[in-house]
Amino acid sequence: MSTTERWLFKLLPMLRWWPMVDRSSTRADLIAGLTGTIILVPQAVAYASIAGLPPEYGLYTAIVPVIVSALFGSSWHLVSGPTAALSIVIFATLSPLAEPGSAAYIQLVFSLTFMTGILMLAMGLARLGFLVNFISHSVVIGFTAGAAVLIAVSQLKNFFGVSAAASASFVETLTLFVRELPHTNPFTLSVGVVTLLTGVATRKYLPRIPHMISAMLVGSLYAALLQRLFGSGTAIATVAAIPRSLPPLSMPELSVQTLRELGAIALALTMLSLTEAIAIARAVTLKSGQRIDSSQEFIGQGLANLCGSFASGYVSSGSFTRSGVNYAAGAKTPLAPVFSALFLLMTLIALAPLVRFLPIASMAAILLLVAYSLVDVHHIRTIVKTGHAESGILFATMLATLFLHLEFAIYVGVLLSLMVFLERTARPGIRNAIPAPGDNSYHFVMQTSEPDCCQLKMVFIDGAIYFGAVDHVQRHLRDVDASHPGHKHLLVLAPGINFIDSSGAELLAQEARRRRRIGGGLYFHRLPEPAVDMLERAGHLQDIGRENLFAIGQNVIEAIYPKLDPEVCRRCQTRIFKQCQSALPNGEPRAPGVVIVERGPRPAHSTR
C-alpha cells in the first residue's frame, strides 16, 4: 500500500469496507437498520429524559452522530447515539448551572457536546487511542452500576406520581422522594407498575418482541383506559409533544465563562464516552473477528459529537444494546447504523405526534428497566472473585458516583486504576535462580530449596526497570550481599527486562560500580538489545562493561567462574557448577574428597 493510499484510508476510513457492499450486504444492513430503529426510539426518548432534555433531543442525537460515527469510525458494527451513563452525567453536572429543559440548559448541552467532540478528535489525531487501556474495566462497571442507581432514584418520583424538586444529589433526591411518598398518586403508580410488569414479562417470555415498545404501548393504553373511566381526576401526566421536523440547526456558545465552567465536565465525558465506545467495539469484535483501530474510533466519535452539536444532538457514544442487536440482526457493514438513522428520521416525521400520549410514569418504568440492565451482575461477581484491588476500584468508583459529582467519580476511578497499574509495574518480579540440571552453563531455572554458590548469586528480573521501579529493584539487589556478604558477584538473567529508562540505567551503573568496589561484579545474561541501547545512550554501558553482557548461547558461567575467589572456592562444600568439580577459578586442580551437591531433575516447564 502506497503512502497516498494509506493517508486516504485514514481520512476516509469507509473506503476500507466499501468494497464489501453489494446487494446481499445491503439487504442485510437494511434489515439490521430497521431492527435497530425499533429498539432505538424508546431508548432515545428515555435517555433524553434522563439528561434533562425534551424527548426530541434524544432522537436528534440518534441521527447525525450515528451516521458520522459509522462512516468515520473503525468498527463495522458499533452503533453510537445517546446512552444512559452519559445522559445521567450531563444532567448531574449541568443541572446546577441551569434549569433542566430550559433554553439556557440546552445551550450548555450543545457547548458541552462541541467541547467533548474537540477533545475526542484531538486525541484521535494524536494517536492516543492506547490511553483507554489504562482505564480499568472495573471503573466502567462500577461507574455504570452507580449511574444505574442514580437513574432509578431519579425516576421514583415519576413512577409514584409525586411532586419532588429535581436534584443531582443522590441523598437529596432520595430524601425529597421519601418526604413526598405519602402523596403518591395511585393512578400514576398503577400505570408505572403495569408498564414495568409488561416489560419484564415480554423480555422473559416473548424475547423476539421489543420489550420497551410493548411496555410503552400497554402502559399508554392502560393510562388511556383510566382516563376514560375516571376522567381528568386521574392526573396522569404525559410526555410533551415532539415537533414533526428534521433536527434543527444549533450553535454552541464558546465564551470564556462557558469554557471555564464546562472544561472539567467535557474531559470527564470524553474519557467515559471513549471508554464506552472502545469497550463495546472490542466486545463485538470478539464475535466478528474484526480488528479495530482505537485512535480511528476516537476520530469517528469526535467528529460525531462535533457534527451533533450543530444538529441539536448531545454527547453520544457507542451503545452496547444497539451494537449487540445490530450484530445479531446480521449487519455486514457500517451502512446498517446509517440506514437506522434514516429510518429514525422518517419515523420522527411520521410518528412524532404520537409521543404526547406516552405517560411519564410509563417512561419512568422504562428507565427503571434500563437501570436494572446497566448493573452487570455477572462481571461484578467475576471482579469480586478475582482480586481485592479490582474490587476496591469497582466499589470506590460506584460509591463516588453516588456521593460525589459525577465527573469527579470518573476521575476517582481512573486515578485508582492508574495507582494499581503503577503499583504493579513498580514491582517487577525478582526470583532467585540456579543453573538448570544437565546443561548448567547456558540455561537457568527458578531456585526452590537448592543451595546457592558461595560467591555468585543468580536472579531473574521480569519487568521494566524505570523510575517507578528503581527503589524496589535497588532494595533487592542490595539485599543480595547484605544477607549473604559472600555474594559479591551477581548475575542478572534478563530476558524479562523489557524496558530501561535513564533512572534504571543509572541504578544498574551504580550497582556495577558498587560491586566492583567490594571485589565482585555485575553481569547480565540475555539482556534485550533495546535495553543495551538505552544503557549506551545514557552513557552507563562503560560502567557495566560490554564484556559483562552475555547473549543467548554464550557460556556465561564459563566466563564468570575465573573471576571468583579461589580461596573461597577451596573451602566451599557446595559445587553447583560443573566447573567447580575439576578445578578452582585460578586453574588449580580440585582436592579430592569434597562433597558434591546433586540436584534432581526439574520439571520441563520450569526451565528458561
Side-chain angles (χ1 to χ4, degrees), residues 232-535:
S232 59
T234 59
I236 300 175
T238 58
V239 175
I242 293 178
R244 181 186 289 177
S245 67
L246 298 175
L249 295 178
S250 54
M251 181 60 66
E253 180 196 355
L254 299 176
S255 64
V256 175
Q257 180 181 356
T258 301
L259 294 174
R260 187 183 302 114
E261 287 179 337
L262 303 183
I265 303 172
L267 180 59
L269 282 171
T270 298
M271 291 191 295
L272 177 60
S273 176
L274 293 178
T275 303
E276 271 192 326
I278 298 302
I280 293 167
R282 288 176 177 172
V284 177
T285 58
L286 292 177
K287 300 177 181 179
S288 67
Q290 184 212 348
R291 181 181 178 186
I292 64 168
D293 181 345
S294 297
S295 295
Q296 186 61 52
E297 200 59 56
F298 279 24
I299 293 173
Q301 294 295 326
L303 288 174
N305 281 283
L306 274 178
C307 296
S309 67
F310 293 98
S312 297
Y314 68 92
V315 181
S316 63
S317 182
S319 164
F320 187 82
T321 300
R322 297 193 296 276
S323 299
V325 168
N326 185 51
Y327 179 78
K332 302 299 182 184
T333 73
L335 283 180
V338 174
F339 290 145
S340 176
L342 295 177
F343 284 137
L344 178 61
L345 191 60
M346 292 186 285
T347 303
L348 181 63
I349 295 174
L351 304 177
L354 298 179
V355 174
R356 73 178 190 275
F357 297 109
L358 178 63
I360 291 179
S362 292
M363 183 67 66
I366 294 298
L367 292 176
L368 290 178
L369 289 174
V370 170
Y372 177 78
S373 66
L374 286 176
V375 181
D376 194 338
V377 178
H378 170 72
H379 280 99
I380 290 175
R381 287 176 178 170
T382 302
I383 291 170
V384 170
K385 292 178 181 178
T386 53
H388 297 298
E390 291 297 318
S391 301
I393 292 174
L394 187 153
F395 289 112
T397 305
M398 184 170 68
L399 291 174
T401 303
L402 295 176
F403 297 106
L404 300 178
H405 290 293
L406 287 191
E407 69 270 29
F408 295 122
I410 298 172
Y411 296 147
V412 167
V414 172
L415 182 61
L416 289 176
S417 293
L418 291 176
M419 288 173 62
V420 170
F421 170 77
L422 291 174
E423 193 275 337
R424 289 171 178 169
T425 59
R427 297 175 179 271
I430 301 178
R431 301 170 293 146
N432 296 330
I434 57 171
D439 184 3
N440 57 7
S441 296
Y442 303 91
H443 304 291
F444 302 85
V445 295
M446 187 174 67
Q447 184 183 33
T448 54
S449 58
E450 300 86 349
D452 274 318
C453 170
C454 298
Q455 300 187 65
L456 176 62
K457 182 66 176 178
M458 294 155 283
V459 295
F460 288 114
I461 295 183
D462 299 309
I465 304 180
Y466 71 109
F467 65 91
V470 163
D471 181 69
H472 174 76
V473 175
Q474 183 182 54
R475 188 167 60 251
H476 276 75
L477 297 186
R478 296 289 176 91
D479 284 347
V480 168
D481 51 286
S483 56
H484 298 281
H487 286 155
K488 299 178 180 180
H489 297 267
L490 177 64
L491 171 61
V492 176
L493 307 166
I497 299 178
N498 50 30
F499 172 72
I500 296 177
D501 70 355
S502 58
S503 299
E506 174 65 27
L507 163 67
L508 297 179
Q510 290 177 357
E511 184 66 14
R513 293 193 296 266
R514 186 182 74 85
R515 290 196 170 273
R516 279 199 298 272
R517 287 196 301 269
I518 63 176
L522 179 65
Y523 317 96
F524 292 88
H525 184 229
R526 298 178 60 189
L527 184 65
E529 195 59 36
V532 177
D533 291 341
M534 181 63 201
L535 289 173

